[in-house]
Amino acid sequence: MPWATNPLFRSSAEEPPADVEAAAASSSSSPIPSPIPSPRPSHSPSPSQRQEIRKSDDDGFKEPTVKLTAHQIFYIFILDGIGAMILSGGINFAIAYAMYASQDVATRPIRLFLFPNTLAGDAGVTVIVQCLITWHIELFLVNRDLRKGGVHPIGFISEPKGRFMRWFMFLDRPQETHVVRSFVHWLSFLRSQILRALLIAVVFFPLVWGPSIGFLILVGTWKNNDWYYEKVWAPQVFKLVQGGVLGLLTTPPMVIFWLTRCGWALKNNEERYGER
C-alpha cells in the first residue's frame, strides 16, 4: 500500500503539500496543469538547480550540511537529548509516585516480578510506550523545525542500499493512491510510524530493561521468592533513572533519523518523504 503525504501539516491551495515530506515541492516540482499559461520554463532543471531551496514564509528548508555543525550537535544532543532526559525522567517519576505512593503494601505488595505491582513489568511497558511517544513527538517537532528553517538537515550520510534499511528510512516508496488527510491516509501514516517506533523499542529493550532489573535487585529485599520494595522511594527513583536514560538514548537517534531523511529528500528533489 503506497505511502501518503504527512497529514500533520497543511499546505496552501496554490502549492503541493508544503510539509515535512515536501522539501522540494516549493523549489522545483512541476506546476499543476492549468488553462492559464504558466510563466515558468518547461525545461527540466539542472542537477544544481534541483538542489536549490527557495525560502518563503511557509517553507524555509535549509541546505543539507556536509558535516555535523555545532548547531546540529547542540540541537541533537543538548536540546533534544538532555532535554528529553530531564523531561522523561520527571514525567516517569511523577507517574511512579502516583502509582505506588498510595499503595497498601500489606495487601498489594510492590515486587519485582509478581503481580499486582510488578516493577519488572512496569519497566518493560515503559520502554515500549516511551519509544512510541518519543517517536511521534520528534516526528512533529523536528520536522516542524526543518520546515521553518530552525535547523539544517544532515547531508553527508549516504543512502543505505539494503532493502530493509531503505524501507525503514522511507526510501523507494510506491506511487501515492490515497486522498491526502483522508481516514485511510491517516491510518497508513500512523501505521508506518508505529512500526518504526516499535522496532526502535525492540532494539533498546535489552539495553534498558536488563540493567533496570539489575538495579532493582540491588535495592530490593528478598523474601518469599521475590524482591520486595517500599512504596517510596525505590520505585520512584527507579522510574526517574530509567525514563531519563531511555530518553537520552533514544531521542538523539530519532532526531538524526529525520535530519538525515530530510537531507536526502532535498538532494534528491523529492516532493514527499517520511511515509510508508
Side-chain angles (χ1 to χ4, degrees), residues 187-206:
L187 287 179
S188 179
F189 172 78
L190 292 174
R191 181 195 62 182
S192 69
Q193 305 300 332
I194 290 171
L195 280 174
R196 285 161 177 82
L198 290 176
L199 287 173
I200 291 177
V202 168
V203 171
F204 283 96
F205 191 93

Side-chain angles (χ1 to χ4, degrees), residues 5-6 9-33 40 54 56 58-59 61 147 176 180-181 269-273 275:
T5 310
N6 188 332
F9 297 87
R10 296 182 179 274
S11 59
S12 62
E14 295 80 18
E15 298 180 351
D19 53 24
V20 297
E21 297 100 343
S26 63
S27 60
S28 57
S29 60
S30 300
I32 300 175
R40 299 181 183 179
R54 194 173 295 171
S56 68
D58 298 323
D59 191 355
F61 289 97
R147 180 172 177 265
E176 171 60 56
V180 175
R181 286 184 287 276
N269 197 35
E270 296 181 19
E271 291 186 5
R272 301 176 179 88
Y273 73 88
E275 304 190 3

Side-chain angles (χ1 to χ4, degrees), residues 87-97 126 130 236 239-240 243-244:
L87 183 61
S88 299
I91 292 174
N92 276 281
F93 180 89
I95 292 174
Y97 190 87
T126 297
Q130 187 169 322
Q236 291 80 10
K239 291 279 287 183
L240 169 69

Side-chain angles (χ1 to χ4, degrees), residues 35 47 63 77 90 94 124 188 221 259:
E63 290 283 356
F77 298 104
S188 179
T221 302
L259 295 182

Side-chain angles (χ1 to χ4, degrees), residues 10-253:
R10 296 182 179 274
S11 59
S12 62
E14 295 80 18
E15 298 180 351
D19 53 24
V20 297
E21 297 100 343
S26 63
S27 60
S28 57
S29 60
S30 300
I32 300 175
S34 170
I36 301 175
S38 172
R40 299 181 183 179
S42 58
H43 64 276
S44 299
S46 66
S48 61
Q49 290 174 327
R50 291 174 60 190
Q51 295 185 19
E52 291 182 358
I53 304 169
R54 194 173 295 171
K55 296 183 179 180
S56 68
D57 292 337
D58 298 323
D59 191 355
F61 289 97
K62 292 186 176 180
E63 290 283 356
T65 59
V66 296
K67 64 179 182 178
L68 203 61
T69 66
H71 181 260
Q72 286 173 327
I73 293 173
F74 175 81
Y75 184 85
I76 294 168
F77 298 104
I78 306 301
L79 184 62
D80 284 275
I82 302 298
M85 180 184 70
I86 296 171
L87 183 61
S88 299
I91 292 174
N92 276 281
F93 180 89
I95 292 174
Y97 190 87
M99 288 177 60
Y100 300 113
S102 60
Q103 292 287 339
D104 182 359
V105 293
T107 58
R108 297 173 59 86
I110 302 171
R111 294 173 288 201
L112 182 55
F113 295 110
L114 299 178
F115 288 94
N117 293 312
T118 164
L119 293 183
D122 189 345
V125 171
T126 297
V127 174
I128 297 171
V129 172
Q130 187 169 322
C131 283
L132 284 167
I133 294 174
T134 303
W135 176 271
H136 286 86
I137 289 175
E138 296 306 319
L139 160 70
F140 177 80
L141 292 180
V142 177
N143 286 313
R144 182 200 61 181
D145 291 341
L146 285 166
R147 180 172 177 265
K148 297 299 181 181
V151 61
H152 281 271
I154 291 175
F156 55 87
I157 299 178
S158 301
E159 291 187 13
K161 297 181 179 179
R163 183 176 179 181
F164 172 78
M165 285 305 300
R166 291 189 68 82
W167 167 83
F168 186 78
M169 299 298 296
F170 299 110
L171 298 167
D172 301 333
R173 296 180 323 281
Q175 181 72 26
E176 171 60 56
T177 60
H178 301 314
V179 177
V180 175
R181 286 184 287 276
S182 66
F183 178 73
V184 176
H185 176 203
W186 271 103
L187 287 179
S188 179
F189 172 78
L190 292 174
R191 181 195 62 182
S192 69
Q193 305 300 332
I194 290 171
L195 280 174
R196 285 161 177 82
L198 290 176
L199 287 173
I200 291 177
V202 168
V203 171
F204 283 96
F205 191 93
L207 299 178
V208 176
W209 189 81
S212 297
I213 300 304
F215 173 81
L216 288 170
I217 289 175
L218 291 176
V219 300
T221 302
W222 174 259
K223 60 180 178 181
N224 299 329
N225 300 318
D226 205 345
W227 283 270
Y228 283 67
Y229 306 88
E230 297 295 331
K231 57 185 179 181
V232 291
W233 290 99
Q236 291 80 10
V237 173
F238 156 67
K239 291 279 287 183
L240 169 69
V241 174
Q242 187 201 27
V245 170
L246 186 60
L248 182 63
L249 290 177
T250 59
T251 306

